[in-house]
């Protein structure tokens, strides 16, 4: 085991940062690497990393204040202490490459890699890169991107587009869907598990684990006008299912499944012919890898990154984009339902999606191998 290579992975805050990190971590571990993961106690990584069988080495969260405050003047001292802690981990574990996925956690890891003279690899999930990755790109050996349109370049190293390291369940489903007969079998089995009819086109509506109130309200307002020859799987978000359940007409109950949350999300995706969803980087990458036509309704807050995330898929002809304010009952009945009832158009959209593959984690592991000393 003396020659076993060692990698340090840094990233966290949201599941969008943590899921690709864990996909890469599993791949590297399977290839015999020693994996060290750095994150905070406050971020999603505190839950997801231990649940995946990895130890989480915690560091303080050091966000930049949005307004001038006394806290701003403590940042350099806190940053130095955190960088030293990560540098110590690098030395103790004989780390030969650091891979960062952005977010607050990554900034001190990037500084620590530079101080320890360890090669740095960055993965940027979003079409609009975050501050940490823009900083780290100045000295990274490799900057890897999810979307070809992302404007982030390694200043001295190389830049490659590899897609997003996918959760194992999604990667496995995507590979199965490459075979048309297997895709049909997966769809039939998934629909049976929801007690739905394999002969009817199926719409999946999801706002993620937290749900999307605007999507729920639009679907709820359209319930009385939905066609008789469609069926819906509606994931409302935790604790947000009751209003939709109360509004569901008796005539729809056999073909409209309402769940607030689904652990095995891949089952709903396997059952679906069309998806209405937000356009976080992970969601867009998964729909693209699965070849699933989607209608993206970007989150109306933030820096507009969700709209940018969807653009490559939209430009390819494999997805539609609609503003959150315009996604209403009229749009559901006038645009979503006609598309769902057009198998030829859905097939065209599926075929038009970029073929990014399901091997981004493998590509990232190969990059780590190439740059490690």
């Amino acid at each position: 085991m003396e020659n076993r290579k060692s990698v340090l992975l840094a990233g966290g805050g949201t599941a969008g940062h943590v899921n690709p990190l864990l996909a890469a971590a599993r791949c590297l571990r399977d290839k015999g690497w020693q994996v060290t993961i750095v994150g905070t106690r406050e971020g999603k990584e505190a839950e997801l990393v231990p649940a995946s069988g990895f130890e989480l080495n915690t560091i303080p969260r050091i966000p930049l204040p949005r307004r001038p405050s006394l806290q701003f003047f403590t940042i350099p001292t806190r940053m130095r202490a955190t960088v030293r802690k990560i540098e110590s981990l690098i030395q103790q574990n004989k780390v030969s490459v650091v891979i960062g996925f952005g977010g607050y956690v990554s900034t001190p890891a990037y500084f620590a890699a530079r101080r320890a003279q360890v090669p740095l690899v960055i993965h940027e999930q979003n079409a609009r890169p975050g501050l940490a990755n823009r900083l780290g790109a100045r000295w990274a050996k490799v900057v890897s991107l999810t979307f070809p349109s992302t404007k982030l370049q390694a200043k001295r190293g190389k830049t490659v587009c590899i897609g997003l390291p996918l959760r194992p369940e999604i990667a496995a489903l995507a590979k199965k869907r490459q075979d048309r007969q297997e895709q049909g079998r997966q769809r039939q089995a998934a629909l049976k598990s929801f007690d739905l009819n394999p002969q009817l086109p199926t719409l999946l509506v999801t706002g993620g684990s937290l749900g999307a109130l605007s999507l729920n309200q639009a679907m709820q307002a359209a319930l009385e006008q939905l066609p008789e020859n469609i069926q819906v799987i509606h994931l409302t978000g935790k604790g947000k299912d009751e209003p939709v359940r109360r509004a569901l007409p008796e005539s729809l109950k056999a073909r409209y499944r309402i769940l607030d949350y689904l652990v095995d999300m891949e089952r709903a995706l396997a059952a679906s012919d069309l998806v209405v969803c937000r356009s976080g980087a992970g969601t867009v990458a998964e729909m693209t890898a699965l070849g699933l036509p989607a209608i993206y309704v970007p989150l109306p807050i933030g820096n507009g990154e969700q709209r940018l995330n969807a653009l490559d898929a939209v430009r390819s002809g494999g997805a539609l984009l609609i503003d959150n304010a315009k996604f209403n009952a009229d749009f559901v009945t006038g645009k979503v339902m006609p598309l769902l009832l057009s198998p030829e158009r859905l097939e065209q959209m599926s075929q038009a999606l970029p073929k990014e593959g399901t091997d981004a984690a493998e590509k990232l592991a190969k990059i780590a191998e190439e740059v490690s000393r």
Side-chain angles (χ1 to χ4, degrees), residues 77-118:
T77 302
R78 290 186 292 149
M79 182 65 78
R80 280 194 295 270
T82 304
V83 169
R84 283 195 296 268
K85 181 175 181 179
I86 298 176
E87 194 177 357
S88 177
L89 282 171
I90 290 173
Q91 292 165 350
Q92 288 170 15
N93 295 327
K94 296 188 170 82
V95 168
S96 55
V97 58
V98 171
I99 305 178
F101 293 81
Y104 295 125
V105 179
S106 294
T107 303
Y110 296 165
F111 283 126
R114 186 170 68 166
R115 282 176 54 89
Q117 297 185 322
V118 170

Side-chain angles (χ1 to χ4, degrees), residues 11-310:
T14 67
H17 288 116
V18 182
N19 283 330
L21 180 152
L22 286 172
R26 293 185 191 99
C27 183
L28 287 159
R29 182 178 61 187
D30 290 347
K31 292 180 180 296
W33 286 68
Q34 177 185 334
V35 177
T36 302
I37 299 178
V38 173
T40 68
R41 291 187 179 89
E42 297 84 5
K44 198 69 175 173
E45 63 273 22
E47 170 193 343
L48 296 178
V49 171
S52 297
F54 292 96
E55 179 185 355
L56 180 66
N57 297 272
T58 57
I59 59 172
R61 182 173 177 269
I62 312 176
L64 290 173
R66 293 185 180 274
R67 297 181 180 84
S69 68
L70 291 175
Q71 188 184 34
F72 178 83
F73 297 100
T74 70
I75 289 175
T77 302
R78 290 186 292 149
M79 182 65 78
R80 280 194 295 270
T82 304
V83 169
R84 283 195 296 268
K85 181 175 181 179
I86 298 176
E87 194 177 357
S88 177
L89 282 171
I90 290 173
Q91 292 165 350
Q92 288 170 15
N93 295 327
K94 296 188 170 82
V95 168
S96 55
V97 58
V98 171
I99 305 178
F101 293 81
Y104 295 125
V105 179
S106 294
T107 303
Y110 296 165
F111 283 126
R114 186 170 68 166
R115 282 176 54 89
Q117 297 185 322
V118 170
L120 172 63
V121 175
I122 285 172
H123 187 275
E124 176 55 59
Q125 293 86 56
N126 290 295
R128 175 171 284 163
L131 179 60
N133 281 352
R134 295 205 305 271
L135 174 68
R138 296 177 184 178
W139 62 85
K141 286 277 189 181
V142 179
V143 169
S144 58
L145 308 174
T146 296
F147 303 111
S149 58
T150 300
K151 290 179 172 59
L152 182 68
Q153 296 283 320
K155 188 172 182 180
R156 296 185 178 87
K158 69 176 182 177
T159 304
V160 294
C161 183
I162 66 170
L164 188 78
L166 298 171
R167 292 178 287 153
E169 302 84 2
I170 300 297
L173 178 61
K175 287 178 181 176
K176 290 175 182 175
R177 286 174 65 88
Q178 291 172 2
D179 179 273
R180 185 55 60 92
Q181 287 187 331
E182 182 60 28
Q183 178 179 334
R185 285 192 289 268
Q186 293 290 320
R187 179 181 182 275
Q188 188 161 354
L191 286 169
K192 185 178 180 181
S193 74
F194 287 105
D195 195 22
L196 290 172
N197 184 352
Q199 304 305 316
L200 294 181
T202 306
L203 174 71
L204 171 63
V205 180
T206 173
S209 60
L210 296 178
L213 187 59
S214 60
L215 303 191
N216 293 346
Q217 289 175 336
M219 291 303 299
Q220 182 178 330
L223 288 175
E224 298 282 359
Q225 305 167 60
L226 295 185
E228 295 181 0
N229 53 342
I230 61 96
Q231 54 196 6
V232 179
I233 300 171
H234 187 168
L235 307 181
T236 63
K238 289 185 177 179
K240 297 182 172 73
D241 56 319
E242 196 52 41
V244 187
R245 289 186 191 280
R246 284 199 303 267
L248 188 66
E250 193 67 34
S251 60
L252 263 179
K253 288 185 177 177
R255 337 179 248 113
Y256 201 108
R257 297 289 170 267
I258 302 169
L259 301 97
D260 67 342
Y261 181 70
L262 191 64
V263 174
D264 51 342
M265 182 66 183
E266 65 278 5
R267 184 161 57 95
L269 293 169
S272 304
D273 301 299
L274 175 66
V275 183
V276 170
C277 55
R278 293 299 194 200
S279 49
T283 299
V284 175
E286 289 181 357
M287 298 307 113
T288 301
L290 293 168
L292 265 174
I295 297 174
Y296 292 118
V297 190
L299 198 66
I301 58 174
N303 60 6
E305 70 179 26
Q306 285 212 352
R307 171 173 288 275
L308 291 176
N309 289 340

